[in-house]
Amino acid sequence: MKFLIIGDIVGRPGRNTLFKYLEKRKQNYDFIIVNGENSAGGFGINVKIAKEMFERGADVITLGNHSWDKREIYTYINEQKNLIRPINFTKEAPGNGYTIVEKNGVKVAVINAQCKVFMPPIACPFLAIEEVLPKIKEETDIIILDFHGEATSEKQAMGWNLTGKVSAVYGTHTHTQTADERILPGGTAYISDIGMTGGHDGILGMNRRESIQRFKDGMPTRYSVCEENLRINGIELEVNEKTGKAVSIKRVNMGYDEI
């Protein structure tokens, strides 16, 4: 089973880059996951954008620390089971932290979790995942984790903690693709961060002038989305349908004109 997993989509430029890629290449994949937590102007996701992503080919949309930036998503996330937020948010938060999707006769579980290190206070992601894993494994061994956070050490720890138990652990949130993709002993694919889809000549997908000025003066500023050097980042993942073990992991890093 071949997966396409796309990293943090930033604003309209990121969405347009994603949609161009899907229009030309989605038939090459059996299952598509995208991180959409920055897809609405760089902060959060709204209902219109979520629906458009599903219509264009996304099977599951994951989120992160910007899950609640657009209030209209609060109700929709309860209605749309394939839009998920970090599982270690409070249990009173809207939505769910994982979903199981059956496609072409194969069940796939996707979990979303948020790191603790250098992130807003949140419950332990390790314990939250371990709590639900036995229940998920009753239905499928194909389990994919989007681990959203800053610290490479925490992401590596999660990879090793889950090796042999899930199909893949991949990082999101830093908007910077890492080159440490590998298959861990036990058959779990791992990469610290799959990167960002949007303008790469800015700073984390936003225009560099505002970011640089804030570093200089420390004052609040209104960020705008970068439209320069559009690129799509992510991974292609192949998983054995019978065992749930990863067969291969390959980075996706393409410019808009290369798609």
Side-chain angles (χ1 to χ4, degrees):
M1 189 172 196
K2 193 167 185 179
F3 291 79
L4 174 68
I5 304 175
I6 297 300
D8 302 55
I9 294 149
V10 182
R12 184 182 298 275
R15 301 197 309 270
N16 289 343
T17 305
L18 169 70
F19 295 153
K20 181 181 179 182
Y21 189 94
L22 292 181
E23 182 179 1
K24 294 194 174 185
R25 299 171 184 265
K26 68 180 179 181
Q27 68 276 3
N28 297 334
Y29 306 100
D30 301 305
F31 203 96
I32 297 171
I33 305 168
V34 301
N35 186 289
E37 72 136 10
N38 300 120
S39 57
F43 302 95
I45 188 170
N46 61 38
V47 175
K48 180 181 177 181
I49 290 171
K51 287 182 176 179
E52 189 172 19
M53 286 182 177
F54 286 127
E55 289 168 0
R56 298 293 188 99
D59 293 295
V60 174
I61 301 171
T62 57
L63 298 174
N65 58 297
H66 288 290
S67 294
W68 313 127
D69 286 11
K70 302 290 186 283
R71 290 189 63 87
E72 65 182 85
I73 211 67
Y74 294 12
T75 301
Y76 180 73
I77 200 171
N78 283 324
E79 300 167 353
Q80 174 51 263
K81 72 168 190 174
N82 295 342
L83 173 66
I84 59 175
R85 45 74 171 171
I87 195 169
N88 48 328
F89 281 178
T90 173
K91 294 185 185 300
E92 285 71 33
N96 295 295
Y98 76 91
T99 186
I100 299 176
V101 181
E102 184 169 349
K103 189 174 182 184
N104 300 324
V106 180
K107 287 185 177 181
V108 175
V110 182
I111 307 173
N112 196 185
Q114 185 171 305
C115 296
K116 291 183 70 176
V117 179
F118 306 129
M119 299 291 287
I122 197 166
C124 177
F126 292 82
L127 297 179
I129 292 169
E130 289 176 356
E131 181 181 348
V132 300
L133 210 53
K135 181 179 179 181
I136 293 173
K137 279 191 166 291
E138 291 177 2
E139 294 195 51
T140 182
D141 287 321
I142 303 176
I143 305 170
I144 313 293
L145 170 63
D146 175 342
F147 198 29
H148 193 80
E150 293 278 359
T152 303
S153 58
E154 189 174 6
K155 293 176 181 180
Q156 289 182 353
M158 183 64 79
W160 284 109
N161 185 58
L162 294 179
T163 189
K165 301 175 184 177
V166 303
S167 306
V169 174
Y170 66 91
T172 56
H173 178 70
T174 72
H175 293 210
T176 303
Q177 190 180 71
T178 57
D180 59 341
E181 73 278 10
R182 61 180 294 194
I183 298 178
L184 299 173
T188 295
Y190 174 84
I191 184 171
S192 293
D193 203 289
I194 61 173
M196 178 199 80
T197 298
H200 279 242
D201 277 0
I203 297 176
L204 307 186
M206 311 305 283
N207 279 316
R208 56 187 180 269
R209 59 181 178 272
E210 296 104 345
S211 295
I212 292 171
Q213 188 60 40
R214 183 167 184 179
F215 277 111
K216 288 181 176 180
D217 60 23
M219 298 299 293
T221 188
R222 182 181 294 275
Y223 292 108
S224 57
V225 175
C226 176
E227 300 184 14
E228 301 174 59
N229 187 19
L230 300 181
R231 303 191 69 82
I232 186 166
N233 281 179
I235 53 172
E236 293 178 342
L237 175 70
E238 189 173 354
V239 175
N240 185 307
E241 293 181 13
K242 294 181 179 179
T243 65
K245 306 296 185 183
V247 176
S248 65
I249 178 173
K250 179 183 177 182
R251 278 178 288 140
V252 174
N253 185 356
M254 298 177 66
Y256 190 87
D257 294 335
E258 301 174 81
I259 296 172

